Structures are given as structure tokens and as C-alpha cells.
Amino acid sequence: MEHVKENGRASSAVVWASLGAAGVFEALTVLATQDKSVRAASPWQDDPYDVMVSLAQFTVPMLALVIASRLLAWRAPGGADRVQQTVRAAGAMVTLIGLTVVFEWVAVVARTPASSSGTWASVLIGGLVVNSVLTVAVAVLLVRGHRGHDSAGPWRHDWLGDAVFLCRRIPVLRRRVGPDAAVWVRRRAMTVFVTLSTLAAAALTSAQAIGEGWTDPLLTAWFLVVAATSNLAFCVISNAVAGFIARPARTRPRRIAEASAVAGCVAISVATAFRDALWPVFGTGTLTSVPALAALTLGAGLVTSLVTAALLLACFPYDFSGSRHRFGGAATHLRRPDKHRGKT
């Protein structure tokens, strides 16, 4: 028990360090993207760098928010699972920051010295140096803290259970949020991911359309699809890494369909980032037509989904009954806690 408590305290310190690094990263990123004069001097204002920066700008604070909220339930039952899952979520957040830092350094190296000069460019590059140092330092702490503590068995607690735990301590929410609501979400996790991704994409698209003065409905619709698919890929992948929602065991066709859909979502984001480099392969001239842009990016996602499904069907033609589902046991445990009271 003492070992678990000491491990929890050490992991909590590492998680707080990762949140601090995320705060610095977000502040510098918002400065580089939201202020027009600063953005004009930014070495990474263009694609493919801007796609990665934009993705991290919204996903890093979302991860930071859920990580910080889970620290409120740090001493609740399920400490071992909570430590592992929170450290993994912090690792995913730092990985996103690290990838963005790499993209930004590539942008700095690729630009001419004249285009990277000026006061704001120097400030941004100085901030990039700070982000790089903090990211490396926190990554080292996460690797050291995570080594040897990852459980080989399925988790018995998830973040959703902690959310219910906290809500039941708030008088206004006590009667509205309970175990039944958590069970409903676990059974419909993919529906929840799609809904949240679409709502977030709609808010982002509205802000982008108003800010840029868009009048082309096809451009707006394309941006909505790109943002929604990017958000969906983030939700599913981060959930697989950190276990936000313990999902019940799923059938083989459903697992293949979900994996293929996520692969297609990732392909859409990659095609959007590298559209100028990909366009000469399929067309001529400069990519300026919105229908051509939509066909290139969304077509890449569709082809990737179909190829992924075909490969999964060929490589895994049968559903092995002995395969381990990481959250299958967790979902059962959380649905029927009365059967495990004696084991806590």
C-alpha cells in the first residue's frame, strides 16, 4: 500500500509538470496563431506545419483539462489504474506537443533567413526553444515514472467512473448523474465520440468562417468534415491510450469498421496537410478549386479506410475467442459493482 501511495505521489508530480509544460506551449501557440501581426511573422504559418499546430492548439488543452479534473479524484478508489491512465494521458499530451515542436523546427529550418527575421519571429523561435527544453525534460520524467508500472491486465476503473464519483458529490448533479448514465455512455462510446467531435468541429468551423469571411458553402462543409474527422481520430486514439471510457467487448466486424474509419480520418488530416505536395500526382497546375481539394482529401480518407478494412480482413480472417479485450472486464466490473465489494 505504501508503495502505491509513493508511486501515486511521484506520478502526480510528473503529471503536474506535464500540465505546466502544456500551459506554456498553449500560451505561445495561441500568441502565434491568434494575433494577426504575430502570425504574419510566424515561420510555421503555412501548411503542412499549420495543420499540426492547429490540431495541437485544440487537443492539448482538452487533454490538460481532463487530466487536471481527474486529479480532483486522485485519492478515490482505483488508485493504481488512475495513476497508470493519467500518466499515459500525460504522455499522449506531451507526444502531441513534441510532434508540434518538431514540425515547427522543420518550418524554421525550411524558411529562408530573411523570412525568419524580425522581432516577432525571434520571439517565436525563442519560445520554441523553451517549449523544446520543457518537452524533453517532461518526456524524460514521464518515461522514468512510467517504466515498470504499466499493468499487463485489464483496467477495472476508467475516467468516466471518476466523473460520476465527482458529480455525485455536487448536490445539483447528484440526482442527474449516476452509474446508469455511465453504463449508457460506455455502451455507446463511439456515438458519444462522433457527437462530441461534430459539435466541436461545428464551433470551430463557425469561428473560422466568420473570421475569414467565407461565403462558399462547399468550403465550409469541407472544413467541417476535416475538423470532425480529425477530432474523431483524436478521441478514439486517445481513449485507446488512456482509457477515458471503458468500452465493452465488441464484435470483429465492428472493431474492423472502427479501425478503418479512424485510419481514414487520419488520412484526411495528412492529405490536408500535404495537399500541395500530393496534388501534382493527381492533377495539374495549382490546387485552388474547392471541389478538387475536397476530392483529394476526402478521397484519400475513403481509399485509406477501404484498404485498411481489406488488410484487416485478410490478416485477421477469424475472431479468436481467446483474444484479450483490455476493457471488457472493466466494463462488466463497473456495471455490477455489487459483485466486487468483497474484493476492494
Side-chain angles (χ1 to χ4, degrees):
M1 183 63 68
E2 287 297 326
H3 173 71
V4 172
K5 290 182 178 179
E6 291 178 4
N7 183 33
R9 285 192 293 267
S11 299
S12 176
V14 174
V15 169
W16 277 112
S18 68
L19 290 175
V24 174
F25 168 83
E26 188 65 17
L28 292 171
T29 302
V30 169
L31 173 65
T33 57
Q34 302 305 311
D35 187 283
K36 292 185 177 180
S37 59
V38 180
R39 182 176 175 81
S42 173
W44 46 84
Q45 62 179 291
D46 300 320
D47 290 331
Y49 321 110
D50 185 59
V51 169
M52 187 66 211
V53 173
S54 299
L55 174 65
Q57 179 183 353
F58 292 99
T59 55
V60 167
M62 283 191 289
L63 281 173
L65 178 62
V66 295
I67 290 171
S69 64
R70 203 178 201 199
L71 292 175
L72 299 175
W74 196 251
R75 298 183 182 277
D81 288 350
R82 185 173 298 104
V83 168
Q84 294 164 18
Q85 293 166 355
T86 308
V87 170
R88 289 166 72 97
M93 181 176 67
V94 172
T95 299
L96 280 170
I97 296 174
L99 288 173
T100 307
V101 166
V102 170
F103 269 72
E104 291 175 347
W105 274 120
V106 172
V108 171
V109 173
R111 292 172 71 91
T112 61
S115 62
S116 296
S117 61
T119 302
W120 280 120
S122 300
V123 170
L124 293 176
I125 294 174
L128 177 57
V129 172
V130 173
N131 273 331
S132 302
V133 173
L134 290 176
T135 302
V136 171
V138 173
V140 171
L141 292 176
L142 284 169
V143 171
R144 289 181 177 178
H146 185 61
R147 186 180 301 163
H149 297 298
D150 195 16
S151 173
W155 288 316
R156 296 169 62 84
H157 299 82
D158 63 355
W159 302 60
L160 186 60
D162 282 358
V164 173
F165 174 82
L166 293 174
C167 289
R168 291 182 69 83
R169 277 150 181 76
I170 302 175
V172 178
L173 301 176
R174 185 174 300 164
R175 295 182 179 181
R176 299 178 179 271
V177 180
D180 291 340
V183 171
W184 187 93
V185 172
R186 292 187 185 105
R187 289 176 176 174
R188 299 166 178 83
M190 198 64 180
T191 302
V192 172
F193 292 151
V194 171
T195 302
L196 293 177
S197 299
T198 304
L199 291 175
L204 176 60
T205 303
S206 300
Q208 186 75 9
I210 295 173
E212 299 294 334
W214 289 351
T215 58
D216 188 345
L218 181 58
L219 177 61
T220 304
W222 169 80
F223 189 89
L224 175 64
V225 173
V226 171
T229 53
S230 175
N231 292 341
L232 179 59
F234 165 74
C235 288
V236 176
I237 294 173
S238 61
N239 186 69
V241 171
F244 298 117
I245 299 176
R247 305 186 63 186
R250 304 178 299 284
T251 63
R252 171 176 167 269
R254 183 169 179 176
R255 296 199 306 272
I256 291 178
E258 290 182 1
S260 302
V262 171
C265 292
V266 173
I268 291 175
S269 296
V270 173
T272 301
F274 295 95
R275 58 186 181 273
D276 292 332
L278 292 173
W279 179 245
V281 179
F282 303 98
T284 58
T286 305
L287 181 59
T288 56
S289 169
V290 176
L293 174 63
L296 175 66
T297 54
L298 303 185
L302 178 60
V303 171
T304 302
S305 292
L306 294 176
V307 171
T308 302
L311 290 175
L312 291 175
L313 287 170
C315 295
F316 305 100
Y318 304 105
D319 191 6
F320 299 101
S321 59
S323 61
R324 177 172 62 90
H325 302 294
R326 190 167 182 80
F327 291 118
T332 303
H333 165 72
L334 292 169
R335 281 197 302 266
R336 294 188 292 271
D338 55 305
K339 294 187 177 183
H340 297 274
R341 289 175 182 171
K343 297 181 181 181
T344 55

